[in-house]
Amino acid sequence: MDAIKLVIADDHSMIREGLKQLLELEGQFKVIAEASDGVECLEILSKEAPDVLLLDINMPNKNGLDVLKELNQSGNRKVKVLVLTVHNEVEYLIKAVELGVDGYVLKDSESSELKKAIMTILNGETYIQPDLIPMLNAKMISMENDYDKIDSLTKRELDVLKNLAIGMYNKEIATKLEISERTVKNHVSNIFKKIGVSDRTQAAVFAIRNNLIDIHN
């Protein structure tokens, strides 16, 4: 049986070397290339055809999530992608899942878990490190609750919330939306009740968390 071909993308050379030695020890895996940043990783993948990409999230030039996004946009993603990271924050995991990652494992996991993850995703299944799953489930439930809250808002209330979230006062919102200031005040009160917040700051956080506004513009 031919060895499973791997590419390792990580900006720390010691980690790449350690993974290479660990995985090649028994002859089951073969590291065919290494990348120290996201750009180099994409260049390698344009020339090589590995079975699995071991992908770190924090890398210079392009991070791991950017690499995953570009692989998806190419429309011809054949490689299985296993994120191998120090990040146990659920936001990174959620984003990776949204981008269609095949597996997600923390760097401090046992070598047996890493190998199991590789074999699982090669069999067409998704592998999320088991102790991360409760955190993922809890976050998904929270997100579903937020979706319900957003759906409860009228189009006008949504417009008010978006403008409130970028720091506009009631008078400014009224002028922009061509409605009375009293109407805006009533909308704000209804918004607070529907999304379960008590002030404008919490409402703004809710809007940002749910990508209702683009904070980069």
Side-chain angles (χ1 to χ4, degrees):
M1 179 180 174
D2 293 337
I4 295 165
K5 295 181 292 184
L6 308 174
V7 167
I8 300 174
D10 194 295
D11 60 330
H12 293 95
S13 59
M14 288 182 64
I15 289 178
R16 295 197 308 271
E17 183 60 31
L19 285 170
K20 185 175 188 296
Q21 291 182 7
L22 174 70
L23 291 167
E24 291 187 339
L25 190 62
E26 298 171 1
Q28 185 180 15
F29 303 101
K30 175 67 177 175
V31 176
I32 60 172
E34 300 175 28
S36 59
D37 62 45
V39 171
E40 186 179 9
C41 176
L42 290 168
E43 288 175 354
I44 288 171
L45 293 176
S46 70
K47 302 170 185 175
E48 304 285 351
D51 300 302
V52 177
L53 168 64
L54 300 183
L55 183 64
D56 186 25
I57 287 182
N58 279 352
M59 295 188 295
N61 297 324
K62 289 182 186 293
N63 65 38
L65 296 178
D66 290 334
V67 169
L68 189 53
K69 191 181 301 181
E70 290 204 22
L71 288 175
N72 291 340
Q73 290 171 346
S74 71
N76 190 33
R77 180 182 140 193
K78 296 179 180 178
V79 65
K80 298 289 186 180
V81 180
L82 174 62
V83 165
L84 188 59
T85 179
V86 297
H87 290 296
N88 62 356
E89 291 92 345
V90 70
E91 284 75 17
Y92 286 100
L93 175 54
I94 289 284
K95 189 62 178 175
V97 169
E98 288 176 345
L99 291 171
V101 75
D102 299 290
Y104 196 100
V105 174
L106 299 180
K107 287 181 178 178
D108 62 359
S109 60
E110 299 290 335
S111 61
S112 58
E113 179 147 36
L114 175 58
K115 293 174 183 177
K116 180 181 178 182
I118 293 172
M119 299 311 297
T120 298
I121 66 176
L122 281 173
N123 286 329
E125 301 176 43
T126 300
Y127 187 92
I128 305 297
Q129 186 165 325
D131 55 358
L132 295 177
I133 291 176
M135 182 171 63
L136 176 61
N137 289 340
K139 182 64 175 181
M140 295 301 287
I141 291 170
S142 173
M143 290 173 66
E144 288 173 4
N145 289 339
D146 276 357
Y147 293 148
D148 289 341
K149 291 174 182 177
I150 293 169
D151 286 342
S152 74
L153 299 174
T154 66
K155 183 180 184 304
R156 181 60 83 191
E157 288 169 347
L158 204 54
D159 290 338
V160 171
L161 174 58
K162 290 175 181 178
N163 286 290
L164 177 157
I166 60 174
M168 294 181 72
Y169 296 108
N170 288 357
K171 187 175 182 179
E172 295 172 309
I173 297 173
T175 300
K176 181 177 179 181
L177 299 181
E178 298 181 342
I179 55 179
S180 72
E181 193 171 346
R182 174 182 286 276
T183 299
V184 172
K185 187 175 180 181
N186 289 336
H187 282 318
V188 170
S189 178
N190 289 334
I191 290 166
F192 285 4
K193 290 175 183 176
K194 288 183 177 181
I195 67 175
V197 301
S198 58
D199 59 43
R200 299 173 82 92
T201 300
Q202 291 175 2
V205 169
F206 177 91
I208 293 168
R209 185 175 71 230
N210 288 284
N211 300 312
L212 297 180
I213 60 170
D214 185 354
I215 61 174
H216 301 294
N217 285 339

